[in-house]
Amino acid sequence: MLYDADGTRGRLTREWYERGFYSEETLPHALAAGCARYVGRKLVFHSQGRTQSHAVESLYEQGRSMAGALHRLGISPGDVVGIQVPNRVEGYVSFLGAILAGAVVLPIVHIYGAREVSFLLRESGARALLVPDRWRRIDYLERLRGLSDVPQLDHRIVIGEEVPAGCIPWSELQAAGEFTPPRLRADDVALILFTSGTTSHPKGVLHSHNSLLAELRVAFRPEGTRSVVLSPWPAGHIAGVLSVLRLFFSGEESVLMDAWDADAAAALVERFRVTRSSGTPYHINSLLDAAEAGGRNLSSLSDYLVGAAAVPPEVVERCERAGIVTYRSYGSTEHPTVTSGTPEHGMQRRARTDGALNPGCRIRIVDDEGADVPPGEAGEIVSQGPEQFLGYHRAELNNDAFLPGGWFKTGDIGRLDAKGFLTVTDRKKDIIIRGGENISSKEVEDYLARHPAVAEAAVVAAPDERLGERVCAYVLLRPGQTLTIDDVRTHFAGLQVARQKTPERLEIVPALPRTPSGKVKKYELRERLRAPGG
């Protein structure tokens, strides 16, 4: 199965057991232990201007009831349960219940429509789907009616007052009943999560109890002092999944937002005295903008992890001026955290590298043939580690995903310095090849971020008959600012940047297409340029 044809997976698994990263513990065991350890700790859900607070023991007991209900519906260990619910208590409880029942959880991004959801259900073979009746402007009942070609889907469970015929009211599943936890193995699949949509073809990523627990043990170490974490991550994102489980592993009280709203986030930081948070550059920049505009007090926020997208050094430097110690990290749905900075690293490291290796992780920097490049040179990042996924849901997708020895080909370009700090320089497919010369889109984005008029930039290749590709910049402007292509040329000349890296096409846009986690969908920008008249 997966990439184990040559025994690689078995060898790596044995190594992680021998080194203590893996154990016989499963997620249900870990959740029960966390509930007992952190009695009274709270989780706050923020949805549409309202907040609800729930203690960990209450959430756990509701999760047990949900697990019993799923068992009575015929959901067996290994069956897939899809959950398309924003960050609200019903979705949280459903997630816990599915885990405790031994099901494979399929978190689905809350904005996906019927066509996308049908694809995910069909690909995963999900037997049950949970959705709200409505949320904000989304009518999920209409989406339920639009599902197609999902014959294996036995149960449609609806959260809310309006439950169509043939669907099961979520409220009826919360009646307490006898429940005997199933026997599970730590190497069983626990999660299938589809890649978030920065490419046009999402792939199902399989994680085991062991791979998720390895990530959780490193990412969420119990702390001596109480802290409060703000999570902007949607439930269908790997960071959202980890945020759901954080309370049980670190005891850190958390505030979960059902949708990103910078003004609301600034108010929540002030109200709950949030000490830590994480997000993309989009999240932290808009949070700081909202706090400045609204006079909000962010003084409690002392620690911020920024990643899941290209991070210009200016973002870290701006946070530093605001009194927030900020550091970068690098990972993916397939390998959640490969490297990370820490508050103890110096400013130069935190602003200009993506940190050092997480415990147990390894990386190599290789060329197009898979050979290691000389130290300090850029190449594709390939990784190994106990948090690494088992493989993709379709075995054929693994053929081009790994190098011999189980090294995952990330598709990202980066370099390692002499101290072992990684700097991600670009996505492999985002390299712009202009007249045979490779230009890093991230490098150009970092230069643009230094211009006072630029709030955010996304740089992609524009087709060109003579040179093959040219540099095109899509730019969001700061309020009241203007920018022309001549301004951009002057800016780059002042930075003494090679002329070939200077954008030759400028598109001022009111918004950039994004995934729910805040990543820019660059493939959509490239498609715009390739379209007739683009």
Side-chain angles (χ1 to χ4, degrees), residues 255-275:
V255 181
L256 303 182
M257 301 183 69
D258 68 342
W260 179 248
D261 179 323
D263 292 327
L268 290 168
V269 171
E270 185 176 65
R271 175 182 173 185
F272 291 99
R273 303 298 296 161
V274 169
T275 58

Side-chain angles (χ1 to χ4, degrees), residues 132-355:
D133 54 1
R134 289 175 177 79
W135 173 80
R136 296 181 183 262
R137 297 182 179 179
I138 300 177
D139 183 345
Y140 287 93
L141 302 184
E142 181 181 354
R143 294 184 177 187
L144 277 181
R145 290 189 291 270
L147 295 179
S148 62
D149 193 20
V150 287
Q152 81 291 340
L153 186 66
D154 297 325
H155 307 293
R156 292 166 166 85
I157 302 167
V158 176
I159 301 164
E161 298 179 358
E162 187 178 343
V163 181
C167 296
I168 302 170
W170 186 86
S171 56
E172 290 185 4
L173 300 181
Q174 282 301 289
E178 292 297 322
F179 171 65
T180 302
R183 290 190 174 186
L184 303 172
R185 298 182 307 161
D187 294 318
D188 289 341
V189 176
L191 180 81
I192 177 169
L193 191 62
F194 282 79
T195 51
S196 60
T198 54
T199 64
S200 55
H201 301 290
K203 296 174 285 189
V205 173
L206 301 176
H207 275 285
S208 68
H209 295 263
N210 259 329
S211 65
L212 289 173
L213 285 167
E215 169 69 18
L216 289 161
R217 291 175 187 130
V218 171
F220 302 145
R221 295 188 181 94
E223 300 204 353
T225 57
R226 293 282 283 271
S227 59
V228 180
V229 179
L230 176 71
S231 173
W233 302 106
H237 186 276
I238 184 63
V241 170
L242 298 173
S243 295
V244 165
L245 297 168
R246 176 195 295 270
L247 178 61
F248 288 88
F249 286 84
S250 70
E252 291 178 297
E253 297 186 318
S254 298
V255 181
L256 303 182
M257 301 183 69
D258 68 342
W260 179 248
D261 179 323
D263 292 327
L268 290 168
V269 171
E270 185 176 65
R271 175 182 173 185
F272 291 99
R273 303 298 296 161
V274 169
T275 58
R276 299 173 57 189
S277 188
S278 61
T280 65
Y282 168 68
H283 290 122
I284 185 59
N285 274 327
S286 59
L287 174 66
L288 292 174
D289 289 343
E292 291 171 5
R296 293 293 185 181
N297 180 2
L298 303 185
S299 61
S300 63
L301 183 59
S302 59
D303 185 315
Y304 200 96
L305 184 151
V306 62
V311 182
E314 286 71 21
V315 172
V316 178
E317 293 164 358
R318 182 187 182 190
C319 292
E320 195 81 7
R321 293 192 296 271
I324 304 170
V325 177
T326 302
Y327 45 95
R328 291 157 50 169
S329 72
Y330 170 67
S332 64
T333 304
E334 292 89 344
H335 194 158
T337 310
V338 181
T339 64
S340 181
T342 71
E344 290 72 35
H345 290 152
M347 178 61 186
Q348 183 72 7
R349 297 283 191 199
R350 289 189 284 107
R352 301 188 179 276
T353 79
D354 295 283

Side-chain angles (χ1 to χ4, degrees), residues 25-92:
E25 184 181 38
T26 63
L27 281 166
H29 291 136
L31 291 172
C35 176
R37 186 181 304 120
Y38 299 120
V39 170
R41 300 286 176 93
K42 300 289 180 61
L43 197 63
V44 175
F45 297 88
H46 176 81
S47 177
Q48 302 183 77
R50 297 186 298 273
T51 59
Q52 289 182 315
S53 180
H54 297 265
V56 63
E57 60 270 23
S58 171
L59 294 167
Y60 181 74
E61 286 307 314
Q62 291 181 67
R64 277 182 53 83
S65 292
M66 187 68 193
L70 291 172
H71 177 71
R72 290 191 294 276
L73 289 175
I75 299 299
S76 302
D79 286 342
V80 176
V81 174
I83 303 175
Q84 190 184 25
V85 185
N87 280 328
R88 46 191 279 188
V89 66
E90 297 93 343
Y92 190 96

